[in-house]
Amino acid sequence: MSAILAGFMRIAILGAGFGGLELSTMLSEALGDSVEVTLIDKSDSFVFGYSKLDVMFGRTTPEAVRLSYRDITKPGVRFLQQTVTSIDPEARRVSTDGGVHEADVLVVALGADYDRDATPGLAEAGNEFYSVAGAERLAEILPTFSRGRAIVGVCGTPFKCPPAPSEAALLLHDQLSARGVRADCEISFVIPFGSPVPPSPDTSRALVAAFAERGIEFVPNRRVSSLDGGRRVAVLDDGSEMPYDLFLGVPKHRAPDVVIASGMIDDVYIPVNPRTLQTRFPGVYAVGDVAEVGVPKAGVFAEGAARMVAASLIASAKNGEQPGAYDGRGSCYIEFGAGRVGRVDVDFFSGPEPTGTFQEPSGALVAEKQHFGSSRRASWFGR
Ligand SMILES: Cc1cc2nc3c(=O)[nH]c(=O)nc-3n(C[C@H](O)[C@H](O)[C@H](O)COP(=O)(O)OP(=O)(O)OC[C@H]3O[C@@H](n4cnc5c(N)ncnc54)[C@H](O)[C@@H]3O)c2cc1C
């Protein structure tokens, strides 16, 4: 690597999500225009994952939560709105609908895509709340749901932000209560884990207690495998059936097609050294949801991995000491409804098993979560 980096370094970052935005920001702050960072994303804007819940429950609009990439003005960083169409990791060459880009260092941060078709019936007879479009659609449907059973159901693992479907069930309870129709509705929550947040028993206990207090049926260790729209039933992975009137799904996830076609994947996502985020291709890293790291698919972990890669590249550029290993730590805020937010701090690599520390829901954590968003908005977009 040091031979590559002895001269002017060209770094191509594919994907301007949590990982790509943090990495480009850190590189710019430390190295300015002494390096050439090309940040590529097919979209014109970024949306925080949790904003999809806000859109779905009508707390805000998609326009209000979109952060435009036009606002990225950082020394050394060039943003290109282009779609990556092929990646050659051996040559560190990337083709897009706008041209060909060659790099000394390539960082793949393309996230995870949704595979709606993997769950028969989901597209025709259900809804998902994991995309902005899905959340926007639900913002129109939810106010019309006043009677019957709603299922919040997970269709595959791993999925982004493991607490998010628990949050959706609790916020749905709030919305139905506020509309005065809760007594006419049932809410069931189906998840293929034994508990809502497996690394943190305290968090899981608090969530299960919150479900019980609100009369939300919790169905652990089950995955939704298909929907039968004609009979309005969800079929679970053990063959059992649950009738529903409204289905709110977490779709199955997979790596983006262009990553699958690149030959970087062994199994489902890109294998990396979990301590350095390096792939088996020299000068090629993968961070965030697209990588197989052994941590959950969540923005805070994508960001932590990006910080690790940034520290390593900055050290190489400055001929400094390489940083220690990626620590696999992250904190997630969890909406408990009724205007309260909890927090779980998870540590995946320090001990033999992942551990999680829970902070009880409070108003103070609502403010902390807001600060989490506004601080990223400021450092990534200057807003
Ligand atoms: C409902 C919900 C709630 C969530 N809540 C939280 C939370 O509270 N805290 C938290 O930490 N995480 C949360 N997450 C998870 C978080 O959003 C993701 O884990 C995080 O965005 C992953 O970051 P990333 O950089 O790996 O990928 P992403 O942020 O998904 O970015 C990938 C980027 O790659 C681009 N891209 C993909 N394919 C191409 C291509 N071919 N060409 C060009 N560009 C391409 C995409 O447009 C995208 O901008 C939530 C997610 C959801 C759905």
Side-chain angles (χ1 to χ4, degrees):
M1 178 66 63
S2 50
I4 295 170
L5 303 180
F8 190 74
M9 203 191 333
R10 297 166 307 163
I11 303 169
I13 304 173
L14 313 184
F18 255 93
L21 287 166
E22 181 68 6
L23 177 58
S24 52
T25 300
M26 281 190 71
L27 291 172
S28 175
E29 280 169 3
L31 303 173
D33 44 23
S34 67
V35 289
E36 180 188 280
V37 175
T38 306
L39 177 62
I40 303 175
D41 203 290
K42 64 183 175 187
S43 178
D44 62 355
S45 53
F46 171 77
V47 173
F48 285 106
Y50 58 74
S51 297
K52 292 164 194 166
L53 293 173
D54 294 332
V55 168
M56 165 185 178
F57 289 107
R59 298 159 150 193
T60 186
T61 61
E63 297 69 45
V65 295
R66 279 200 180 100
L67 297 165
S68 171
Y69 291 132
R70 268 200 314 266
D71 291 336
I72 297 178
T73 49
K74 293 184 189 302
V77 178
R78 178 172 64 132
F79 174 78
L80 298 177
Q81 188 183 350
Q82 296 179 359
T83 299
V84 177
T85 52
S86 80
I87 304 168
D88 178 343
E90 308 255 10
R92 294 189 294 273
R93 188 183 303 117
V94 174
S95 302
T96 69
D97 56 359
V100 175
H101 307 278
E102 302 207 336
D104 303 311
V105 174
L106 190 58
V107 184
V108 184
L110 292 169
D113 273 356
Y114 303 132
D115 191 355
R116 293 174 187 79
D117 296 339
T119 307
L122 177 62
E124 310 80 38
N127 304 280
E128 55 82 16
F129 57 95
Y130 261 47
S131 67
V132 176
E136 200 174 359
R137 184 158 173 256
L138 275 164
E140 287 177 14
I141 292 172
L142 284 176
T144 67
F145 176 70
S146 304
R147 177 175 294 276
R149 184 196 250 175
I151 298 179
V152 177
V154 175
C155 302
T157 56
F159 59 93
K160 296 182 199 186
C161 191
S166 298
E167 297 177 289
L170 293 168
L171 294 173
L172 178 61
H173 166 88
D174 273 13
Q175 196 192 55
L176 295 174
S177 304
R179 288 179 40 229
V181 296
R182 180 66 181 95
D184 298 321
C185 302
E186 291 169 57
I187 304 174
S188 300
F189 172 35
V190 181
I191 187 170
F193 303 147
S195 61
V197 182
S200 174
D202 288 343
T203 310
S204 292
R205 261 192 295 278
L207 283 167
V208 170
F211 300 148
E213 275 163 24
R214 292 159 176 79
I216 296 171
E217 181 193 20
F218 179 52
V219 184
N221 295 315
R222 291 274 76 90
R223 178 179 62 81
V224 175
S225 53
S226 64
L227 298 182
D228 182 337
R231 293 190 299 127
R232 304 298 286 174
V233 293
V235 182
L236 309 190
D237 55 356
D238 62 350
S240 60
E241 297 186 344
M242 288 176 76
Y244 70 89
D245 298 287
L246 177 67
F247 185 81
L248 313 173
V250 175
K252 193 168 186 292
H253 293 25
R254 65 178 170 83
D257 283 337
V258 68
V259 175
I260 296 171
S262 73
M264 299 179 78
I265 286 178
D266 286 340
D267 188 10
V268 186
Y269 294 99
I270 303 176
V272 291
N273 176 334
R275 308 315 242 178
T276 63
L277 291 315
Q278 280 169 324
T279 68
R280 63 174 176 270
F281 302 95
V284 182
Y285 297 79
V287 298
D289 291 352
V290 77
E292 189 72 65
V293 186
V295 296
K297 299 207 178 298
V300 283
F301 291 100
E303 189 183 84
R307 284 182 187 156
M308 175 68 210
V309 174
S312 173
L313 296 177
I314 292 164
S316 298
K318 293 185 167 176
N319 288 320
E321 206 178 306
Q322 281 296 316
Y326 171 55
D327 62 8
R329 290 198 186 138
S331 302
C332 290
Y333 298 98
I334 305 176
E335 298 270 350
F336 272 72
R340 292 179 318 142
V341 166
R343 179 175 141 181
V344 57
D345 301 330
V346 206
D347 178 346
F348 276 83
F349 293 154
S350 295
E353 295 288 327
T355 54
T357 311
F358 179 58
Q359 285 184 40
E360 291 289 338
S362 68
L365 286 173
V366 174
E368 204 183 285
K369 179 180 171 184
Q370 275 162 3
H371 176 72
F372 174 87
S374 60
S375 59
R376 269 78 186 162
R377 198 167 60 231
S379 77
W380 296 341
F381 294 92
R383 286 176 55 187

